[in-house]
Amino acid sequence: MAVGTQYLAEQPKLRTTSMVLGAAAIAGMLAAPFFFYPVMLMSVLCFALFACAFNLLIGYVGLLSFGHAAFFGGAAYVTAHAAKVWGLEPLTSILLGAAGAAVMGLIIGFVAIRRQGIYFAMITLALSQMFAFICLQVPFTHGEDGIQGVPRGYLLGLIDLNQPLTMYYVTLAIFLFGFFAIWRIVNSPFGNILKAIRENERRAVSLGYRVDRYKLGAFVMSAALAGLAGGTKAIVFQFATLTDVQWQMSGEVILMTLLGGIGTMIGPIVGAGLVIALQNYLAASNFPVTVLIGIIFVICVLLFRRGIVGEILELMRRKTKGVS
Amino acid sequence: MSSAPLLEVRGLNAWYGESHVLHGVDLDIREGETVTLLGRNGAGKTTTLRAIMGILRRREGVIRLRGQDLLRLPLHKVAQAGIGYVPEERGIFASLNVSENLMLPPTVSEGGMSVEEIYNLFPNLHERRSSQGTKLSGGEQQMLAIARVLRTGARIILLDEPTEGLAPVIVQRIGDVLVALKKRGMTILLVEQNFRFAKKVADRFYLMEDGRMVNSFPGHELDARMDELHEVLGV
Amino acid sequence: MSTIFGIPTPALFGQVLIGLINGSFYAMLSLGLAVIFGLLRVINFAHGAQYMLGAFAAYLLLNYLGIGYWPALILAPLIVGAIAVVIERTMLSRLYGVDPLYGLLLTFGLALILEGAFRHWFGAAGQPYAAPPQLTGAVNLGFMFMPIYRGWVVIASLVICLGTWLLIEKTRLGAYLRAATENATLVQAFGVNVPLLLTLTYGLGAALAALAGVLAAPIYQVSPLMGTNLIIIVFAVVVVGGMGSILGAIVTGYVLGILEGLTKVFYPEASSIVIFVIMAIVLLVRPAGLFGREE
């Protein structure tokens, strides 16, 4: 699944090109709020980080989690509660949310990694549904209402986040931090062992790796980063609700990653951008969003399982192979 | 050479994924004949059977049964054209009892053995007809695997190493069964490592090496060619 | 008034009955999931949507064509089974041989389409569907009053589960199915049309879900979301039972339904999560599931 990173690592020329492209992309993101509605951009950034975190698991360990909404939405609740009820500083609140998601990841992951493949997907889905039921019942989430009116507050007590542009750049900074964290994980020795497990779990076991620990480690990191995205979203949009913990949200993040390209670094970002843009576009029309999401799922699975970025990389790889 | 062969294979090439495993195999079996494929492990004998059956799908060349082109048929139509297959691993189903295993392959034409005839030929199977298929001994499983294709009315059966890993007395029994089948006019394509067993039943031998047919000779020449065979087979 | 553990008996039996009803649906749905998974190696996420389609088919047949409950019990499974056959031929069959996760994602997408479309047409609220006149009213069992329709659902589901089990264990078609679950290629090499068998199995599984949907229509409201919320619980049931055994899927379904009902009596707050908790415990103690084999 992960043709992308290995391929780029093998091609020094392309590596330079991609660095140039990366710099251009960051420049573009810095300039974006002058051309687009910042709230939508921030939404894309939050979901893009969420999708990248999810992709860390499916793309580089081969585990399909169908319950990542629990970490995203769970962190949103923790952050919202910390900022609103405890009156904590926004960044601290976000980090608390991510920490909460990591703890949940440890618990859910500990149970789920006992099975593989299709069972892993069903188990994560069931456990996240359990979490959603709990969120519906406990007082601290305020049930159907959710936690509303979360203050954005002052970053480090100094910078007013109620300014849309400031909020955007802080969100961008968090996104870039998360993205590079994932990039570092994937390209570390730890990441290489994860890929070895994905390719052939038995061989990894026979080489003496304690596969379960690596899987659990990756699961917790993925959950924490999904939590970072969810906590940020709670500050940006100033609320946390049941929507973020439900299975539909887990489905959406799968779609974003699948559409952009499982196992590619930038695929999930592209996918998140496209899905958010489509949702915004459809919000004005009468067409049901769920149906469209379902249709995209079916088309992706049947026609381009590598996703948009994955297919482009595959085309480039075939071309260079053909030339040399 | 009075009539056209029942099964005719011409220039058969086959691939497992990227690796080319059969290189232009030619093979003829006439009605009522028993033909044995010899060769060392990995020479392509099992592969030839799997390619004829269509289990191995990446093939080129000609495979004709009574003039009907088998190469284009979907897998399940090959058996329906009149071939019975007894795989090397025997393929007895654990979730089926002996009787269900026996009844599994659909009838492909008239003239197959009746269940009574089969149970007369293999009394053990009758005794154990309600046991789980894989609870049988290795020999009984082999009998069941053979019995299974006799019911269907197939005119030719492909038998892959029926004596492998079995005790001499069982091998003897299987030899008797094959002789009985020959008498009934059954056509048999046999893959076998056991010369003494094969000599008893084979009308003709083909010798395979590295995915190619390297020689073919009538059954009675087997003893005279022993030295040559030992060299090719490395036994 | 008599009590057991301080709970009035009628209340206790009432909850056990509700648990048994829920368990009937868990059993029927996990049975279908297990049959489909056994042969196709696909987790049919659309199973819940097909259950919902069955209920809606009954509702639409009644309200637009005036066709009542009894014919709907036959017609709805046939309609949904036919749709499933088309889905298998045009989409699922392209995914055999690739990672089974894609089958899950495809059927998830289909579930979203069906659910979204019905929500768009009928809204998220439930539509009522009356039980047939022959099955209305209640009987006094001595220790409690039982609505006749609920008794009928328990009996019908037992018959359906037993019938499916007999079909698989005792018939020639069932033997093909069991054998193909073990080694599809060999079964096809014997001359069995396995691609057709796969299509029929998916159709049959979906028809079973639709039949459960018709049975459910008078008990729960007919609503677009009735299926997916249920199917996630059924996934947990399937994980608990392990998918290796048909009988295991059935038994686990009923038992977990009853346990859920009992939880409602003794600790109502936990009743919506008890099945998931049991799943987690089973995974920690016996990862392959109660009736499963380690793969």
Side-chain angles (χ1 to χ4, degrees):
Chain A
M1 281 179 173
V3 281
T5 44
Q6 282 156 8
Y7 169 60
L8 288 179
E10 285 156 13
Q11 306 275 335
K13 217 193 227 171
L14 272 166
R15 208 169 171 185
T16 347
T17 325
S18 66
M19 277 169 104
V20 171
L21 282 175
I26 292 174
M29 286 192 266
L30 287 171
F34 298 102
F35 302 96
F36 296 99
Y37 192 44
V39 173
M40 185 180 139
L41 289 175
M42 289 188 274
S43 172
V44 170
L45 287 175
C46 291
F47 280 100
L49 179 56
F50 183 23
C52 288
F54 168 79
N55 184 43
L56 174 62
L57 212 51
I58 176 85
Y60 300 98
V61 203
L63 291 173
L64 172 64
S65 162
F66 225 115
H68 253 47
F71 312 125
F72 184 72
Y77 276 127
V78 173
T79 301
H81 188 81
K84 188 182 175 185
V85 181
W86 297 337
L88 293 181
E89 183 270 337
L91 191 60
T92 314
S93 304
I94 291 173
L95 290 177
L96 268 179
V103 172
M104 281 171 57
L106 191 65
I107 298 167
I108 291 184
F110 184 73
V111 175
I113 56 162
R114 290 170 175 263
R115 298 302 301 268
Q116 298 159 7
I118 211 93
Y119 285 95
F120 182 86
M122 288 198 289
I123 293 163
T124 44
L125 175 62
L127 291 174
S128 73
Q129 181 78 348
M130 176 170 93
F131 181 69
F133 277 128
I134 294 172
C135 287
L136 185 62
Q137 286 179 358
V138 294
F140 123 97
T141 58
H142 298 275
E144 303 275 359
D145 298 335
I147 305 175
Q148 301 284 346
V150 177
R152 280 185 179 173
Y154 289 79
L155 184 71
L156 307 173
L158 300 169
I159 306 161
D160 184 4
L161 291 183
N162 289 302
Q163 299 296 321
L165 265 185
T166 319
M167 187 70 245
Y168 172 79
Y169 287 118
V170 170
T171 310
L172 180 60
I174 293 173
F175 166 78
L176 289 174
F177 166 79
F179 181 80
F180 285 109
I182 291 167
W183 190 83
R184 288 290 303 168
I185 294 168
V186 168
N187 292 293
S188 68
F190 176 79
N192 288 330
I193 294 166
L194 293 182
K195 283 175 242 171
I197 293 172
R198 182 195 61 201
E199 297 311 326
N200 190 337
E201 183 161 340
R202 284 204 188 133
R203 192 189 301 156
V205 171
S206 69
L207 286 173
Y209 290 113
R210 304 189 64 169
V211 167
D212 279 358
R213 289 196 176 179
Y214 283 94
K215 281 184 178 174
L216 187 57
F219 195 87
V220 171
M221 288 178 203
S222 172
L225 287 159
L228 185 65
T232 309
K233 181 177 176 267
I235 295 293
V236 168
F237 290 91
Q238 302 184 278
F239 60 77
T241 63
L242 283 173
T243 313
D244 291 345
V245 294
Q246 275 160 348
W247 56 266
Q248 288 91 339
M249 184 59 75
S250 297
E252 263 175 49
V253 76
I254 296 173
L255 180 67
M256 289 168 181
T257 312
L258 180 67
L259 177 63
I262 290 171
T264 63
M265 280 308 287
I266 59 165
I269 305 170
V270 173
L274 280 173
V275 171
I276 300 288
L278 267 175
Q279 282 173 340
N280 274 12
Y281 178 74
L282 281 185
S285 83
N286 191 26
F287 195 83
V289 179
T290 328
V291 174
L292 186 80
I293 288 185
I295 291 172
I296 302 175
F297 251 110
V298 170
I299 293 174
C300 280
V301 170
L302 290 179
L303 299 179
F304 55 110
R305 287 191 275 278
R306 287 192 187 91
I308 294 169
V309 174
E311 293 290 348
I312 292 171
L313 284 171
E314 177 69 15
L315 263 176
M316 283 163 60
R317 194 176 65 90
R318 275 198 203 148
K319 249 187 187 167
T320 44
K321 228 184 183 179
V323 169
S324 67
Chain B
M1 307 262 167
S2 53
S3 57
L6 178 67
L7 179 71
E8 182 186 4
V9 177
R10 288 281 171 278
L12 180 64
N13 286 280
W15 291 262
Y16 274 122
E18 292 297 305
S19 68
H20 191 174
V21 286
L22 292 185
H23 306 267
V25 167
D26 294 326
L27 179 77
D28 283 324
I29 306 177
R30 285 183 293 277
E31 187 102 41
E33 222 182 1
T34 297
V35 168
T36 299
L37 291 184
L38 297 172
R40 45 170 114 201
N41 283 332
K45 305 180 304 280
T46 295
T47 307
T48 304
L49 298 195
R50 290 169 63 88
I52 293 172
M53 283 310 294
I55 292 171
L56 185 56
R57 296 307 294 178
R58 254 200 93 192
R59 305 161 294 166
E60 279 171 14
V62 175
I63 305 170
R64 273 197 287 260
L65 184 73
R66 275 198 217 92
Q68 183 188 7
D69 183 4
L70 296 185
L71 206 68
R72 282 164 218 291
L73 294 182
L75 179 53
H76 55 276
K77 297 269 183 183
V78 175
Q80 287 167 14
I83 305 190
Y85 178 53
V86 182
E88 188 176 9
E89 69 282 0
R90 291 163 198 156
I92 302 302
F93 295 98
S95 55
L96 274 59
N97 65 26
V98 169
S99 154
E100 286 173 326
N101 264 291
L102 183 63
M103 302 305 286
L104 184 78
T107 308
V108 296
S109 70
E110 301 277 300
M113 283 179 155
S114 70
V115 177
E116 292 78 51
E117 282 179 284
I118 288 175
Y119 279 144
N120 283 336
L121 198 58
F122 305 101
N124 298 26
L125 296 184
H126 184 253
E127 260 167 51
R128 307 209 53 186
R129 62 190 179 282
S130 328
S131 312
Q132 187 191 342
T134 44
K135 290 269 162 69
L136 298 184
S137 71
E140 286 170 327
Q141 289 194 29
Q142 187 61 60
M143 307 271 187
L144 178 55
I146 296 172
R148 196 159 55 175
V149 296
L150 302 179
R151 227 196 74 254
T152 63
R155 302 304 304 278
I156 173 167
I157 57 176
L158 312 188
L159 269 174
D160 200 347
E161 304 228 15
T163 65
E164 195 186 17
L166 298 182
V169 50
I170 309 284
V171 173
Q172 177 78 39
R173 277 281 291 125
I174 290 175
D176 295 343
V177 168
L178 292 195
V179 170
L181 291 180
K182 266 174 74 95
K183 283 207 182 108
R184 290 177 64 103
M186 181 68 90
T187 311
I188 300 169
L189 175 56
L190 179 70
V191 165
E192 191 50 75
Q193 307 261 26
N194 181 340
F195 284 141
R196 287 217 310 198
F197 176 81
K199 197 177 125 189
K200 200 160 100 177
V201 291
D203 301 311
R204 225 143 38 80
F205 287 94
Y206 278 96
L207 190 57
M208 285 195 85
E209 200 173 10
D210 299 330
R212 292 174 178 82
M213 287 295 177
V214 290
N215 205 347
S216 123
F217 51 87
H220 60 80
E221 286 181 19
L222 184 72
D223 288 331
R225 290 175 180 260
M226 253 353 202
D227 291 341
E228 177 194 346
L229 287 177
H230 279 301
E231 195 171 309
V232 173
L233 300 178
V235 276
Chain C
M1 194 181 211
S2 59
T3 60
I4 296 176
F5 303 123
I7 309 279
T9 338
L12 181 68
F13 284 119
Q15 289 302 338
V16 171
L17 177 65
I18 289 176
L20 193 58
I21 300 271
N22 286 339
S24 302
F25 291 106
Y26 299 158
M28 285 188 281
L29 292 177
S30 58
L31 170 67
L33 274 183
V35 172
I36 292 173
F37 180 75
L39 191 56
L40 281 72
R41 297 277 125 186
V42 167
I43 287 292
N44 184 30
F45 208 120
H47 215 64
Q50 284 152 352
Y51 161 87
M52 178 272 288
L53 271 188
F56 261 101
Y59 170 81
L60 294 173
L61 284 170
L62 182 67
N63 288 290
Y64 290 87
L65 301 173
I67 296 173
Y69 179 82
W70 299 108
L73 270 183
I74 310 284
L75 286 175
L78 284 178
I79 295 166
V80 176
I83 296 170
V85 162
V86 174
I87 289 172
E88 196 279 342
R89 280 289 81 206
T90 54
M91 297 181 223
L92 271 180
S93 56
R94 293 156 183 260
L95 297 179
Y96 300 145
V98 306
D99 192 323
L101 290 174
Y102 289 113
L104 178 74
L105 296 179
L106 178 83
T107 50
F108 178 66
L110 292 171
L112 289 181
I113 294 173
L114 290 170
E115 241 174 47
F118 274 81
R119 210 169 159 169
H120 185 62
W121 293 326
F122 297 95
Q127 316 281 340
Y129 183 92
Q134 298 90 334
L135 299 176
T136 46
V139 284
N140 189 349
L141 297 179
F143 52 91
M144 66 178 287
F145 280 94
M146 187 177 68
I148 291 175
Y149 189 82
R150 299 195 173 217
W152 152 251
V153 166
V154 173
I155 293 166
S157 80
L158 282 170
V159 169
I160 291 165
C161 289
L162 188 71
T164 311
W165 181 76
L166 285 174
L167 174 74
I168 291 167
E169 290 299 323
K170 300 292 168 201
T171 68
R172 197 170 169 79
L173 186 68
Y176 288 157
L177 205 128
R178 276 176 285 143
T181 298
E182 275 185 59
N183 186 345
T185 307
L186 186 58
V187 172
Q188 199 178 355
F190 283 146
V192 177
N193 189 341
V194 171
L196 181 64
L197 191 65
L198 294 169
T199 309
L200 288 179
T201 303
Y202 190 69
L204 176 78
L208 263 177
L211 184 56
V214 182
L215 287 174
I219 297 185
Y220 312 108
Q221 302 232 299
V222 178
S223 89
L225 285 174
M226 68 192 285
T228 305
N229 291 329
L230 180 60
I231 206 64
I232 297 175
I233 300 176
V234 173
F235 279 175
V237 172
V238 159
V239 172
V240 171
M243 274 189 291
S245 146
I246 299 291
L247 216 50
I250 298 172
V251 172
T252 314
Y254 285 110
V255 170
L256 288 183
I258 293 169
L259 279 178
E260 193 185 33
L262 286 174
T263 315
K264 248 177 223 147
V265 181
F266 294 104
Y267 189 41
E269 294 79 10
S271 65
S272 59
I273 63 166
V274 63
I275 289 183
F276 301 119
V277 173
I278 292 173
M279 179 192 80
I281 294 169
V282 167
L283 280 169
L284 294 176
V285 179
R286 209 182 131 83
L290 297 179
F291 300 90
R293 289 177 290 255
E294 197 67 65
E295 282 174 40

